[in-house]
C-alpha cells in the first residue's frame, strides 16, 4: 500500500490529464461541449470524441481556464458536466460586453465517482474566438484522481 496523495493513495498509478485549445475556439450555435485537444493523459483518464472518460472510482479534481481576448464580446455560462449533470462549484458566468478588455473565466470541481463517467467542459451558448497571437492558448482543462 502506497502513501496517500495523487493517484488514489492505495499504491495505484497516478491518474491525470490535460486538454487545451490554441488559436481558435468555437462552440456550436446553441451551446455545447467546448472542444479541447488532449495534451497528456493517463490510462484512467482518456479522451473519447472530445469528452474525458474517467475509468476508475475515486475522488477527482478538475480545473479549467478559458481566455477571452480583448476583441471578444459575448455572454455565456461555462461549467463542468459529469454524465450530463453540472459539477457543483464549477459554474462561471461570462458577461464580456466590453471589447476593450481581456477576460479569463475559471472554474473547478471536486467530486466522487463510484463508476466510470464522462466529463466535459460545457458552454450554454455558442461562440467563436481567435487568439490575439499565433499559439495563444484559449482554453485548458486539467485534472487528476486524488
Amino acid at each position: 500500500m502506497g502513501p496517500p496523495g495523487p493517484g488514489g493513495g492505495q499504491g495505484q498509478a497516478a491518474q491525470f490529464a490535460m486538454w487545451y485549445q490554441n488559436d481558435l475556439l468555437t462552440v456550436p450555435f446553441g451551446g455545447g461541449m467546448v472542444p479541447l485537444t488532449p495534451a497528456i493523459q493517463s490510462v484512467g483518464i482518456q479522451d473519447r470524441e472530445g469528452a474525458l472518460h474517467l475509468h476508475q472510482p475515486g475522488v477527482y479534481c478538475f480545473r479549467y481556464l478559458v481566455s477571452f481576448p480583448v476583441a471578444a464580446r459575448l455572454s455565456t455560462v461555462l461549467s463542468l458536466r459529469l454524465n450530463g449533470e453540472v459539477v457543483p462549484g464549477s459554474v462561471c458566468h461570462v458577461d464580456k460586453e466590453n471589447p476593450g478588455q481581456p477576460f479569463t473565466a475559471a472554474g473547478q470541481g471536486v467530486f466522487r465517482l463510484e463508476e466510470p463517467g464522462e466529463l466535459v467542459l460545457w458552454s450554454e451558448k455558442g461562440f467563436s474566438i481567435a487568439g490575439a497571437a499565433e499559439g495563444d492558448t484559449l482554453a485548458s482543462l486539467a485534472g487528476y484522481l486524488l
Side-chain angles (χ1 to χ4, degrees):
M1 182 156 34
Q10 302 300 315
Q12 301 170 354
Q15 299 302 320
F16 55 87
M18 181 178 173
W19 280 257
Y20 70 97
Q21 187 62 44
N22 287 349
D23 301 324
L24 180 66
L25 180 61
T26 301
V27 175
F29 179 74
M33 184 172 57
V34 176
L36 299 168
T37 301
I40 187 169
Q41 52 192 335
S42 61
V43 174
I45 304 174
Q46 292 286 308
D47 177 76
R48 189 177 310 148
E49 298 177 16
L52 289 70
H53 285 264
L54 312 174
H55 298 289
Q56 293 183 331
V59 176
Y60 287 83
C61 177
F62 276 89
R63 295 182 175 109
Y64 68 86
L65 292 172
V66 180
S67 298
F68 297 96
V70 170
R73 230 183 134 154
L74 62 105
S75 178
T76 191
V77 177
L78 298 170
S79 64
L80 295 173
R81 289 194 178 187
L82 178 63
N83 299 325
E85 299 294 321
V86 173
V87 174
S90 72
V91 174
C92 182
H93 292 262
V94 178
D95 291 310
K96 188 176 179 311
E97 295 301 322
N98 182 351
Q101 297 293 319
F103 180 80
T104 299
Q108 66 180 358
V110 175
F111 54 88
R112 178 176 301 282
L113 189 66
E114 301 296 333
E115 57 188 45
E118 179 180 278
L119 184 76
V120 298
L121 176 56
W122 190 266
S123 176
E124 292 294 324
K125 295 181 183 175
F127 62 87
S128 185
I129 57 174
E134 186 176 333
D136 281 357
T137 300
L138 297 170
S140 64
L141 172 62
Y144 53 92
L145 175 63
L146 296 171

